[in-house]
Amino acid sequence: MEHSVSVKDLSLNFGAVNVLQSMNLDIAPGEFLVLLGPSGCGKSTLLNCIAGLLDVSDGQIFISGKNVTWEEPKDRGIGMVFQSYALYPQMSVRKNLSFGLQVAGFKKEEIDKRIARASEMLQIEPLLDRKPANLSGGQRQRVAIGRALVRDVDVFLFDEPLSNLDAKLRSDLRVEIKRLHQRLKNTMIYVTHDQIEAMTLADRIAIMKSGVIQQLDAPNVIYNKPVNLFVAGFIGSPSMNFINGRFENGTVTLGGHNFDVSRYEFETGQGGTAQDVILGVRPEHVVIGPGVESQPCQFEAEIEIVEPMGAETVAWTKLAGETFTLRTNSETAPQTGQKIRIGFDPIRSSIFDAQSGTRI
Amino acid sequence: MARRRIKINPMALIGLTPMIATAVGVFVICIIYSIVLSFTNSRLLPNFEFIGFAQYERLWETPRWLISVRNIWLFGFFSIAFNMIFGYLLAVFMDQRIKQEDAFRTIFLYPFAMSLVVTGLVWQWIMDPNLGFQSAVRNMGFTDFRFSPLTNEATAIYGVIVAGIWNGVGVTMAILLAGLRGVDEEVWKAARVDGIPTWKTYLFITLPMMRGAFITAFVLQCVGVVRVYDLIIAMTQGGPGISTQMPAVFVIQHISGRSNVGLGMAAATMMLLPIIVLIAIQQYFAWRSRRRAAGIGAAVATLPQAQGVKAS
C-alpha cells in the first residue's frame, strides 16, 4: 500500500546532541497519528522535520510517494497548526486565510470558494472580518486550522494545538478536530503531551522518548499491552502500579506468595527463564469489596488518601512499601484510614523484565 | 469601581525629594520663566517690561528664523525617514543569524555613543574639500573631481542630514531588532508553510507587528531632531551664510552672542510647541490602548460567570 507519509532512517543532530535517531515511521493515507511523549522527547522536532522547517541530518522523508527531504515546506503538500496559533495579527481573519493563496497566485474566485468552504466547516463565517486580537483562544485556533484547511493539502500537521486553551475549550475543540478528520479523511499527524488527546483522537499512537519511538500501535493496545516500563508508566492516569516479584516456571512470587500466571499471554513462549520481574497493575483492575474473594492475588492494605473525582474515586495505599493506587466506583469507595482487602488478577496485568524493562 | 488610594511611603518621599526639586526647579520653573521672558523686551539681561506678542511678530519676520524652521523640517523629514528605512534594513540584516552579531551591533551603535560634536567634526573633515573625500580622489589623479557639499548654500543642509542619519541609524536598528526578535517564531514557521517569501514576511507580517518598536524609535528621533544643536555647531556653525541655521542654534545665539534674550525665548517657546503636540499624541494613544485593555478585561471578567451558569 502507498504510504501517505513515510520517514526513513531519519536522524537529526544539534551539534553533539542526537535529537532523533534513525527513525522509521510509515503513515497510511487518512490515518490519524499522534506523537506522544514527555517534553524534550523529540516529537515536535520530528513534526518540524516532516514539515520541512528543520533540515534533517540524515535519512529521507516521503509525502504522498514523493521524496520531499529537501523541498520547501510550501511544496510538500502540508498544512500546519501551531500551539500559539501563529496568526498574522495585523490581518483580518479573511486575509489570514487568503494571504498564502494570493502569494501562491490563485484566482480570486478559487480563493473565495476555499475560504467559504473552510469557514463553513469551522463555523467561523461571522468572524471573517475581525482581527485576531478580537477573537477568543478557541476562535483563534479555529482560524489557524482554517488557514491549514484552505491550502487543500493531503497532510495536516498539528503541533500541540490545544495546549494554550483552557480545559473546557480543549475538550470541545478536540471533538471538533476528530469530526473534521472524519469528514475530510486526510492524513493527520498530531503532536501532544496530553494522553487524553492522544487516546481519544488517534488511530495509532507513537510514544516517544529521547528521540526514539518506544511503541507505535492503536491506543487500546498501547494502554493494555505496553511494550516496556516507560510506556506503561506514561500512559494512564493515575499511572500503573508496579510491584517487584520473581518469575519462575509459570508462577510469579509476590510478597512470599506464588501465583499461577501460565494463562498470561507471553510475548515469547512461556516467558523464558527464571528472572526478576516487575508486575504492572492498572488501578482500575484492582478489586475491592464483594468480588475480592475471587481474585487470585489478595492483600491487606490501609487506605492513606482518597481522591473523589465524581464518577469514580482514586484511593492511595501502600503495597510492599510501594505506592499503590486503585480506582473504584464512588459509591463503594473506601474511607481514609480504613483497612480493606484488595485483590487483582495477575493474568490481566503486564509483566516486565526487571533488568531491561521490556514486556515478557 | 472605587479609585485606588495612593499611599505615600515616607522613606520613598525623602529619597525622591532631590529629584522632585530638580524636576520642578529646572523644568517647570525654568520653562515658565522662559515663556514669561518671551513676552518682554529683554535684551542683554532679562527684564520684565512686557510688550505682548511683539517678539513673536518679530520672530516670524526674521529670515534667520524662517530658514531655521525650513531646515528643521527638511532635516527632520529626511533624517527620520532614512533612519527608519536603514535602521529596519540593518535590523533585518542582523536578524539573519549572522556570525559576529555582537561585533556588528557594537559597530552600528558606536556613532550613537559618541558625542554629536565628534560625529560632526568627522563628517566635516570628510566633506572638507581640502582635507576629505575631494582631496583624496584628486590625489588619485581625478583633478576635476568636486565634492564639497558644506561650502555650498544649497547643499550644506544635506551634508548635515547625512551626518545625522549616520549618528542615529544604529540606535534605530537596535530598537527595531529587539522588535523583530519579539515576533513569535511560530509566525515565521506559519509563513514558511504558507509559502510566503521571506521579504514579504518581513514587509507584510512582521513590520506591522512591530508598531510599538517603530513608535519608540520615531519619538526618540523626533526629540533628537528638535534639539539638534551640536551637530550644526561642529559642522557648519549655521553657515554658509544662514543656510544651515536650526532653531536651537538660533535660540542660543540670541541669548548669548546676539544679546536678544526676549527674541531667543520666543523662539524657544515656539520649539516647545511641537514637543507638547508630540507628547499629547503619545498620551492619547497610551490612553486609548489602556482604555481598550480595560474594556477587554471587563469583558473577560464577565465571561466565567456566564459560562459557570451554563455549566451548572
Side-chain angles (χ1 to χ4, degrees):
Chain A
M1 189 179 64
E2 178 92 329
H3 297 299
S4 174
V5 176
S6 186
V7 170
K8 290 196 181 5
D9 295 322
L10 185 76
S11 293
L12 181 77
N13 319 318
F14 290 137
V17 186
N18 292 322
V19 185
L20 299 174
Q21 298 171 31
S22 55
M23 171 147 326
N24 283 291
L25 183 61
D26 291 318
I27 302 162
E31 185 173 3
F32 199 122
L33 182 96
V34 172
L35 301 172
L36 178 67
S39 24
C41 71
K43 55 192 193 299
S44 275
T45 311
L46 174 60
L47 195 75
N48 278 307
C49 286
I50 294 172
L53 296 167
L54 281 174
D55 287 341
V56 303
S57 307
D58 199 9
Q60 289 171 316
I61 297 166
F62 295 85
I63 294 178
S64 308
K66 199 174 109 195
N67 186 343
V68 296
T69 315
W70 300 107
E71 297 277 352
E72 275 293 305
K74 69 178 164 75
D75 302 322
R76 295 188 175 205
I78 52 148
M80 192 159 175
V81 178
F82 298 89
Q83 178 177 356
S84 68
Y85 325 128
L87 297 176
Y88 312 136
Q90 304 300 326
M91 298 180 184
S92 67
V93 169
R94 187 190 303 278
K95 186 81 180 166
N96 262 284
L97 299 181
S98 66
F99 192 53
L101 299 176
Q102 284 172 359
V103 168
F106 280 94
K107 290 225 165 57
K108 195 174 175 307
E109 304 87 70
E110 174 68 16
I111 294 175
D112 288 345
K113 212 174 80 194
R114 288 191 186 186
I115 290 179
R117 174 168 167 267
S119 52
E120 182 265 320
M121 221 178 261
L122 295 161
Q123 291 156 14
I124 52 172
E125 291 124 321
L127 313 176
L128 280 176
D129 295 312
R130 290 209 216 162
K131 290 270 176 71
N134 301 325
L135 303 178
S136 70
Q139 291 170 331
R140 283 181 210 187
Q141 198 53 287
R142 274 166 210 260
V143 175
I145 294 172
R147 191 171 57 182
L149 218 57
V150 293
R151 290 177 54 73
D152 214 4
V153 288
D154 301 330
V155 180
F156 282 114
L157 309 176
F158 293 89
D159 194 355
E160 307 217 16
L162 307 183
S163 298
N164 281 11
L165 301 172
D166 63 45
K168 173 136 176 28
L169 272 175
R170 200 179 301 171
S171 57
D172 288 351
L173 217 54
R174 198 173 68 211
V175 173
E176 209 152 316
I177 289 176
K178 187 154 193 165
R179 196 173 286 145
L180 197 69
H181 179 241
Q182 285 172 354
R183 182 163 168 189
L184 292 170
K185 300 192 168 44
N186 287 29
T187 309
M188 294 190 176
I189 308 177
Y190 188 106
V191 165
T192 184
H193 61 261
D194 182 318
Q195 46 173 304
I196 307 290
E197 278 172 34
M199 297 291 289
T200 52
L201 289 171
D203 292 327
R204 283 194 302 166
I205 299 176
I207 297 212
M208 291 178 66
K209 181 197 174 192
S210 315
V212 177
I213 293 180
Q214 305 288 313
Q215 187 170 8
L216 173 61
D217 225 320
N220 63 331
V221 177
I222 293 216
Y223 188 79
N224 293 318
K225 287 192 162 187
V227 292
N228 59 31
L229 281 173
F230 173 78
V231 175
F234 191 80
I235 278 277
S237 173
S239 61
M240 190 182 257
N241 297 298
F242 295 119
I243 312 162
N244 291 309
R246 185 157 177 85
F247 172 77
E248 213 163 350
N249 295 330
T251 60
V252 164
T253 313
L254 295 173
H257 302 281
N258 289 329
F259 303 104
D260 177 29
V261 291
S262 53
R263 286 184 297 119
Y264 176 80
E265 287 177 30
F266 288 101
E267 297 288 306
T268 50
Q270 281 308 301
T273 51
Q275 57 187 314
D276 286 335
V277 293
I278 293 173
L279 207 70
V281 183
R282 290 274 178 215
E284 63 268 33
H285 291 163
V286 180
V287 180
I288 58 167
V292 73
E293 299 303 331
S294 60
Q295 299 295 316
C297 286
Q298 289 179 30
F299 295 93
E300 287 290 335
E302 184 180 339
I303 303 297
E304 292 178 338
I305 296 171
V306 177
E307 290 184 305
M309 294 179 168
E312 60 189 22
T313 295
V314 174
W316 296 65
T317 174
K318 278 225 162 60
L319 201 64
E322 297 290 324
T323 307
F324 193 88
T325 55
L326 58 106
R327 202 180 224 177
T328 163
N329 193 318
S330 282
E331 274 123 56
T332 58
Q335 302 295 312
T336 307
Q338 198 180 343
K339 282 203 171 66
I340 55 163
R341 229 178 147 63
I342 60 172
F344 58 86
D345 186 349
I347 312 285
R348 294 180 75 186
S349 66
S350 298
I351 304 176
F352 303 99
D353 181 340
Q355 245 101 53
S356 65
T358 52
R359 186 186 187 86
I360 61 171
Chain B
M1 199 161 43
R3 228 166 227 281
R4 214 182 324 153
R5 272 179 56 189
I6 299 167
K7 268 191 191 162
I8 296 173
N9 181 340
M11 292 314 286
L13 192 65
I14 293 168
L16 280 173
T17 302
M19 202 51 228
I20 293 171
T22 316
V24 172
V26 173
F27 294 110
V28 178
I29 294 178
C30 288
I31 287 173
I32 291 169
Y33 189 55
S34 303
I35 295 172
V36 169
L37 282 181
S38 73
F39 293 103
T40 68
N41 68 350
S42 305
R43 299 290 301 178
L44 176 63
L45 293 171
N47 65 36
F48 291 97
E49 284 173 38
F50 289 97
I51 54 168
F53 284 91
Q55 296 284 22
Y56 289 91
E57 283 164 22
R58 219 182 116 197
L59 181 70
W60 287 102
E61 285 160 6
T62 310
R64 187 180 279 266
W65 172 253
L66 296 177
I67 293 281
S68 297
V69 172
R70 187 207 68 153
N71 280 346
I72 201 150
W73 281 112
L74 207 64
F75 180 79
F77 178 78
F78 282 111
S79 73
I80 290 173
F82 283 103
N83 256 321
M84 290 291 178
I85 295 167
F86 289 143
Y88 187 62
L89 290 177
L90 276 180
V92 169
F93 164 70
M94 297 283 287
D95 198 34
Q96 308 305 310
R97 293 166 191 269
I98 51 169
K99 286 177 184 164
Q100 301 297 324
E101 186 192 310
D102 289 344
F104 277 109
R105 196 161 38 199
T106 310
I107 291 171
F108 294 143
L109 262 178
Y110 201 71
F112 188 73
M114 279 196 290
S115 159
L116 272 167
V117 174
V118 180
T119 309
L121 273 180
V122 169
W123 279 96
Q124 200 222 333
W125 288 337
I126 292 173
M127 294 177 187
D128 187 301
N130 301 318
L131 298 171
F133 192 61
Q134 175 177 317
S135 76
V137 175
R138 284 193 177 178
N139 287 343
M140 287 190 286
F142 304 95
T143 49
D144 291 341
F145 182 77
R146 288 193 53 184
F147 180 75
S148 54
L150 296 184
T151 57
N152 184 334
E153 285 195 14
T155 55
I157 185 68
Y158 296 100
V160 176
I161 287 170
V162 168
I165 292 168
W166 186 76
N167 186 268
V169 77
V171 84
T172 310
M173 182 238 15
I175 293 168
L176 296 183
L177 182 61
L180 271 183
R181 293 280 156 86
V183 172
D184 181 2
E185 204 188 331
E186 289 194 335
V187 169
W188 276 102
K189 289 183 177 178
R192 277 188 71 191
V193 172
D194 262 355
I196 298 163
T198 309
W199 70 271
K200 278 199 175 171
T201 311
Y202 272 115
L203 199 61
F204 296 116
I205 295 168
T206 60
L207 192 94
M209 286 174 79
M210 290 165 53
R211 216 176 47 181
F214 269 103
I215 291 173
T216 306
F218 178 75
V219 170
L220 272 183
Q221 292 294 332
C222 286
V223 172
V225 164
V226 173
R227 65 169 191 203
V228 62
Y229 173 76
D230 22 16
L231 192 65
I232 302 294
I233 295 301
M235 285 184 82
T236 64
Q237 276 103 37
I242 54 170
S243 60
T244 55
Q245 277 287 336
M246 289 285 177
V249 180
F250 182 95
V251 172
I252 300 290
Q253 282 179 349
H254 279 79
I255 293 173
S256 55
R258 294 176 156 261
S259 315
N260 196 339
V261 171
L263 190 64
M265 288 309 176
T269 308
M270 293 312 299
M271 284 175 67
L272 191 63
L273 273 183
I275 293 177
I276 290 174
V277 171
L278 265 180
I279 291 172
I281 291 172
Q282 191 258 329
Q283 285 295 318
Y284 170 74
F285 277 111
W287 169 78
R288 210 178 62 161
S289 69
R290 249 201 325 269
R291 206 184 55 158
R292 193 182 294 167
I296 289 171
V300 171
T302 58
L303 260 181
Q305 294 163 1
Q307 282 187 347
V309 170
K310 221 190 290 171
S312 60

